[in-house]
């Protein structure tokens, strides 16, 4: 056990680290939690305007009928559309706020944006499209182009409505269909609706003093203003050559765009509240010989291999072999003392020790790559690795060696305020020509708030009301009182670090259910009260949510900004892990009786 190994063997003292983690967390805990951010609307709505559309689509309101309406044109919506098309479902309409398909990859075009899960695993439907990404971690433009290619391949452009936001949906029991209303005055109807709004779709801004008083240029990373910065997703931000630029935030987005800003800006100020853990990326071009050698079935096999390894399982080989699989391999190896019977407390202690070791390695990487010892110290994360999304990048830390790049370490407090001229942090004003908010997206708020609309189901029940005390679903996909409605998301479903993998499984499941309804000539499918209750109980029983782990974490969206929600067990994903969840829903389909659903 940890304490039995000497601190000399380990190179650190677990008790000292535990204390340091506590101190760093305590510096960041704040009473307002999620309320420190505000919803971007009204006077701030220009922050969410679409900078990528060439012209606004003008069209008459639609009042037509389609078989299925899918909300969201990201990978969730595209996968649903693709699997339903394969299953022979007739007309499918995707409604999307942006000007094209792509979802998160439509919006996040900031310089350096790339997938952080290996692209051969992350990008869905590669085999269906005969496509192999050009890099191991491919960049955003290729992912956006792939999204469009999926739309083309599965004919999803035909009925799509872009630049359109859903404002509400209502079920009609008499007509047995949904009416979907939008900001374009549409009142279209569909037999089925699928919501694939995405988990991180609403940019958030910190509610700091003076946020509306800054007179310089400003934007959020998910609406990158290339007209102002020059260049493109590959960098070359030439218009910043005489500009002083400030970035607020050091999460996964900032880690990717800071190196480009460092190269482009005259002066770059990075305002840090909490450092990210930044491990080796080692990106590389795809080997053409390898891609030519791929056999049919290669992508699903690779996805399954990755998913098994990152959810703590065992596989004969590690096909992806990167930072993600290494993290979990290390954690798993600590608890895999075959033949030993360890108590849960001993397992927890071993996991903690493996985590300390990994994070010591991350911290020493900052020391190795950053010349100035004070800056290096500021860039060291002191928390357990899964308190925040682990990051992988080879250019972020060295960027701080450039003389024009300044890390403003706010020691966990965040910036003090904005003024007309710039940002005040640690009591000092930094004058800036441009402020970029890399402050992330809403996570801990209600599902219907994040979706931007509510649903009215059978008997006038709203989804907001139905889930007021926590989610209630069968398999995370359907909820009683909302017939013919499917929700593509991770709560009460299988969660994996490669989101599209889970969404693909959900899409296949929806296609199966619709196929069964068609076979039975049923017009309506709904969860039974018993089916829903049993699944909610199963989710709570299987939950691996650990209040003590989450409370010990530095605040962030993983732990509801330092206030682990009482509903985390109920709203969390299936505790036995994604592999078991995917098997469970496959077995459910194979059993064939649609247990927990009623059709009429
Ligand atoms: P995050 O929520 O991860 O980061 C927001 C940042 O803003 C944090 O560093 C936060 O600090 C900081 N911040 C917030 N308020 C203040 C303040 N008042 N003063 C100073 N700093 C402040 O958002 P990201 O956009 O970086 O990432 C969101 C998620 O998107 C990721 O976790 C990941 O899941 C996904 N993503 C995926 C990528 C991929 O490669 N697939 C790439 C980029 C993002 P603090 O930590 O202290 O709260």
């Amino acid at each position: 056990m940890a304490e039995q190994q000497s601190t000399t063997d380990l190179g650190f003292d677990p008790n000292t680290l535990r204390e340091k983690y506590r101190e760093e967390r305590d510096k960041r805990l704040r009473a307002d939690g999620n309320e420190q951010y505000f919803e971007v609307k009204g006077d701030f709505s220009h922050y969410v305007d679409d900078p990528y559309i060439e012209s606004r689509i003008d069209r008459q309101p639609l009042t037509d009928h389609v078989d299925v309406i899918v909300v969201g044109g990201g990978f969730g919506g595209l996968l649903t559309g693709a699997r339903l098309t394969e299953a022979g479902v007739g007309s499918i309409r995707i409604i999307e706020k942006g000007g094209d398909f792509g979802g998160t990859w439509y919006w996040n075009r900031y310089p350096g944006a790339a997938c952080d899960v290996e692209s051969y695993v992350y990008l869905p439907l590669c085999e269906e499209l005969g496509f192999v990404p050009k890099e191991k971690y491919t960049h955003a433009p290729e992912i956006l182009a792939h999204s469009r290619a999926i739309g083309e391949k599965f004919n999803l452009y035909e009925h799509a409505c872009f630049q359109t936001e859903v404002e509400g949906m209502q079920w009609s029991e008499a007509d047995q269909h949904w009416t979907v209303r939008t900001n374009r005055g549409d009142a279209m109807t569909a037999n089925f609706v699928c919501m694939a709004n995405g988990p991180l779709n609403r940019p958030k801004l910190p509610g700091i003093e003076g946020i509306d008083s800054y007179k310089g240029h400003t934007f959020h990373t998910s609406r990158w203003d290339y007209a102002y910065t020059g260049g493109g997703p590959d960098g070359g931000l030439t218009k910043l050559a005489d500009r002083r630029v400030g970035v607020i935030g050091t999460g996964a987005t900032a880690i990717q765009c800071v190196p480009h800003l460092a190269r482009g800006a005259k002066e770059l100020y990075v305002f840090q509240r909490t450092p990210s853990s930044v491990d080796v990326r080692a990106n590389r071009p795809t080997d053409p010989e390898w891609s030519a050698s791929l056999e049919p079935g290669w992508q699903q096999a690779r996805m399954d291999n990755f998913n098994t390894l990152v959810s703590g399982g065992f596989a004969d080989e590690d096909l992806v072999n990167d930072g993600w699989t290494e993290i979990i391999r290390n954690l798993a190896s600590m608890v895999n003392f075959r033949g030993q019977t360890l108590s849960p407390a001993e397992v927890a202690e071993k996991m903690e020790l493996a985590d300390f070791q990994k994070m010591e390695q991350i911290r020493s990487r900052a020391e190795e790559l950053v010349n100035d010892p004070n800056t290096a110290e500021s860039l060291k994360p002191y928390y357990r690795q899964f308190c925040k999304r682990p990051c992988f990048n080879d250019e972020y830390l060295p960027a701080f060696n450039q003389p024009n790049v300044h890390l403003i370490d706010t020691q966990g407090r965040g910036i003090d305020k904005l003024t007309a001229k710039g940002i005040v942090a640690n009591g000092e004003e930094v004058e800036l020509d441009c402020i970029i908010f890399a402050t992330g997206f809403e996570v801990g708020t209600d599902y219907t708030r994040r979706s931007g609309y509510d649903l009215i189901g059978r008997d006038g029940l709203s989804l907001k009301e139905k889930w007021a005390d926590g989610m209630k679903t069968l398999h995370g996909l359907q909820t009683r009182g909302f017939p013919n409605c499917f929700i593509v998301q991770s709560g009460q479903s299988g969660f994996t670090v490669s989101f599209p993998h889970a969404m693909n499984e959900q899409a296949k499941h929806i296609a199966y259910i619709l196929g069964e309804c068609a076979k039975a000539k049923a017009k309506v499918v709904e969860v039974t009260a018993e089916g829903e209750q049993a699944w909610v109980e199963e989710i709570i029983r299987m939950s691996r949510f650990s209040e003590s782990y989450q409370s010990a974490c530095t605040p962030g969206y993983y732990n509801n900004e330092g206030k682990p929600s009482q509903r985390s067990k109920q709203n969390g994903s299936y505790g036995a892990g994604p592999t078991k969840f995917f098997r469970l829903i496959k077995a459910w389909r194979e059993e064939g009786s649609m247990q927990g659903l009623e059709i009429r």
Side-chain angles (χ1 to χ4, degrees), residues 37 105 110 114-116 200 204 206 208 248-254 256 273-274 388-389 414-415 438-441 557:
Y37 299 104
W105 299 102
Y110 58 82
C115 56
D116 68 353
L200 298 159
K204 64 179 162 52
I208 36 180
I248 305 174
T250 51
T253 298
Q256 293 183 331
R273 188 164 68 181
T274 310
K388 287 189 179 282
R389 175 107 178 166
I415 60 172
T439 44
F441 304 87
Y557 77 81

Side-chain angles (χ1 to χ4, degrees), residues 116-254:
D116 68 353
V117 167
E118 193 199 66
S119 49
Y120 319 128
V121 165
Y122 178 82
L123 265 64
L125 302 167
C126 282
E127 279 198 75
E128 285 82 347
L129 271 76
F131 171 70
V132 180
K134 63 182 180 209
E135 292 172 285
K136 189 167 168 79
Y137 305 95
T138 205
H139 283 77
E142 193 178 41
I143 310 180
L144 184 56
H146 184 61
S147 306
R148 291 175 179 147
I150 296 171
E152 298 282 356
K153 165 92 184 173
F154 293 93
N155 204 24
L156 299 171
Y157 279 99
E158 188 182 352
H159 298 291
C161 289
F162 295 113
Q163 298 178 23
T164 303
E165 275 183 74
V166 171
E167 292 189 332
M169 293 194 193
Q170 181 145 14
W171 170 251
S172 163
E173 188 65 24
D175 300 319
Q176 300 189 322
H177 69 211
W178 285 91
T179 302
V180 177
R181 294 182 194 281
T182 76
N183 65 343
R184 296 304 195 105
D186 304 313
M188 32 182 128
T189 56
N191 300 338
F192 295 91
V193 290
C194 302
M195 296 193 292
N197 308 301
L200 298 159
N201 72 337
R202 290 182 87 79
K204 64 179 162 52
L205 293 174
I208 36 180
E209 193 187 328
I211 181 124
D212 50 356
S213 53
Y214 177 61
K215 301 277 184 263
H217 198 76
T218 174
F219 56 90
H220 187 275
T221 47
S222 66
R223 304 289 188 275
W224 196 272
D225 189 351
Y226 283 110
Y228 179 83
T229 64
D234 295 334
L237 311 177
T238 47
K239 290 191 183 171
L240 297 181
D242 57 354
R243 305 263 157 89
R244 298 157 302 172
V245 177
V247 176
I248 305 174
T250 51
T253 298

Side-chain angles (χ1 to χ4, degrees), residues 12 14 16 25 68 71 118 130 189 195 216 249 284 291 307 429 540:
F12 59 86
T16 310
R25 177 207 56 183
V68 183
V71 185
E118 193 199 66
T189 56
M195 296 193 292
R284 52 187 176 272
S291 64
N307 188 46
E429 185 180 37
I540 294 171

